[in-house]
Amino acid sequence: MSTPTTVTAYAAPAAKAPLERTTVERRAVRAHDVRITVAHVGICHSDLHQVRAGWGSEIFPMVPGHEITGIVREVGPAVTRHAVGDRVGVGCMVDSCRVCENCLVGLEQYCDEGPVWTYNSVGKDGQPTYGGYAQEIVVDEAFVVRVPDALALDVAAPLLCAGITTYSPLRHWNAGPGRRVAVVGLGGLGHMAVQLAHALGAEVTVLSQSLRKREDGLRLGADDYRATSDPATFEELAGAFDLLLNTVSAPLDYAAYFGLLRTDGAMVNLGLPEEPVQIGLQSLNGRRRSMSSSGIGGIAETQEMLDFCAARGVAAEIEPIRAEQVNEAYDRLLAGDVRYRFVIDAATL
Ligand SMILES: [Zn+2]
Ligand SMILES: [Zn+2]
């Protein structure tokens, strides 16, 4: 019989409080559960957001972390997908209803009941979920993906959120040969979007405030790199793109960006401003353009993305940190000072 385990973790004890070393309890392994020793965990903007600013429904203490890679240490008696010793990953979700129309087609992230998020959420057992800034995590096998051998566990970790968040819309809006994709912003999401769009065969342009990260952008696979602070960018690239993937959370001059889309082009927003945005529909109407948004990706698509990254040599560019550097890393992330993802080495917990 499996028993609950007490594991070391980093948690925020209250809103806006610094994270501190503590312990959390992991449930006993149930029939379909996998117990994972965490190897690496990426620091996502939404970790910072939920700990510091708040989306209004936080559960404290909070153990953030939904870009998790590790090794399977124990499996429940009914588990068939994973075995002890397997290299695995866990992303933003750890459960869903599994019977609604979205779950049935592999869009668990859009579950009618809302998925159970990896942290700051309540599981079907009524208990709060705690994320990956911890030595171990226990997750139902259906929400655990396989990390191919070709991907190191540290650079694979950010793929579980930043990777799938960009891969899913690129696939949905058919980024590929003959298609022109612009990635707005070169941060954690943007640096994955550029690599993935390039690997999918699309022609890729980065639209960034300045040319400061131009060399990085071109090295990651961009064909062109333009500064949005230069008005000439919007004149020269008018009507140029099939898809704009916007990774910036601050509101933009949307009409100016719609002008960059060709007929039937789409602007897909991954960064979400806190306040409602205003757009003039005229700038969409002219060329049947659309404005949309997209959230992570389903479990099967997450596996597809990891396999694609392994086959094409795509991975995150990371700054590895020790667990005790997490608060400092949050400050730097807030200042936009990271290239391109902080990843905690869980052995330092
Ligand atoms: Zn995330
Ligand atoms: Zn569902």
Side-chain angles (χ1 to χ4, degrees), residues 13-45:
K16 297 184 170 62
L19 273 71
E20 52 189 45
R21 196 164 185 266
T22 182
T23 58
V24 290
E25 188 168 281
R26 294 301 190 191
R27 67 176 182 249
V29 169
R30 301 186 290 225
H32 286 279
D33 278 348
V34 173
R35 184 164 65 90
I36 299 162
T37 300
V38 178
H40 297 276
V41 57
I43 297 180
C44 174
H45 264 277

Side-chain angles (χ1 to χ4, degrees), residues 65-307:
H66 61 203
E67 294 185 336
I68 303 163
T69 56
I71 304 289
V72 175
R73 288 300 171 213
E74 183 183 354
V75 295
V79 169
T80 57
R81 297 189 190 193
H82 306 286
V84 171
D86 282 0
R87 306 164 84 250
V88 293
V90 177
C92 302
M93 305 175 280
V94 290
D95 211 342
S96 72
C97 88
R98 309 188 194 200
V99 294
C100 74
E101 63 171 352
N102 290 308
C103 285
L104 290 177
V105 296
L107 293 171
E108 299 91 347
Q109 76 274 30
Y110 304 135
C111 175
D112 286 353
E113 292 183 12
V116 176
W117 303 111
T118 302
Y119 68 90
N120 193 24
S121 187
V122 176
K124 288 177 183 170
D125 58 4
Q127 298 300 308
T129 56
Y130 296 118
Y133 298 6
Q135 287 174 320
E136 291 183 358
I137 189 166
V138 176
V139 182
D140 187 293
E141 63 169 330
F143 286 78
V144 176
V145 289
R146 187 174 34 78
V147 178
D149 289 339
L151 286 171
L153 293 178
D154 55 355
V155 295
L159 301 178
L160 277 305
C161 175
I164 187 61
T165 298
T166 50
Y167 181 82
S168 184
L170 286 168
R171 294 280 286 148
H172 183 76
W173 277 274
N174 300 311
R179 304 272 285 176
R180 297 183 74 186
V181 175
V183 175
V184 184
L186 192 70
L189 289 177
H191 99 289
M192 288 311 312
V194 170
Q195 295 185 75
L196 290 166
H198 174 69
L200 286 165
E203 187 183 325
V204 187
T205 298
V206 176
L207 301 174
S208 186
Q209 274 188 308
S210 73
L211 297 178
R212 195 166 52 91
K213 299 183 197 167
R214 184 171 179 275
E215 275 179 34
D216 282 3
L218 298 179
R219 178 173 51 78
L220 291 165
D223 300 284
D224 196 3
Y225 198 108
R226 301 296 187 98
T228 54
S229 53
D230 180 357
T233 293
F234 291 89
E235 291 166 23
E236 290 167 18
L237 298 178
F241 300 105
D242 298 287
L243 174 62
L244 284 174
L245 216 52
N246 175 22
T247 70
V248 174
S249 299
L252 300 174
D253 176 359
Y254 294 97
Y257 285 86
F258 296 151
L260 301 179
L261 292 170
R262 67 204 300 186
T263 299
D264 286 331
M267 179 173 187
V268 179
N269 297 278
L270 305 176
L272 305 179
E274 291 187 4
E275 298 298 319
V277 299
Q278 279 205 322
I279 58 169
L281 293 179
Q282 291 81 355
S283 46
L284 294 176
N285 177 271
R287 292 194 185 178
R288 201 164 56 192
R289 293 157 171 148
S290 59
M291 163 106 157
S292 191
S293 183
S294 169
I296 53 171
I299 296 299
E301 191 173 47
T302 302
Q303 186 64 63
E304 177 190 305
M305 177 273 306
L306 288 171
D307 294 343

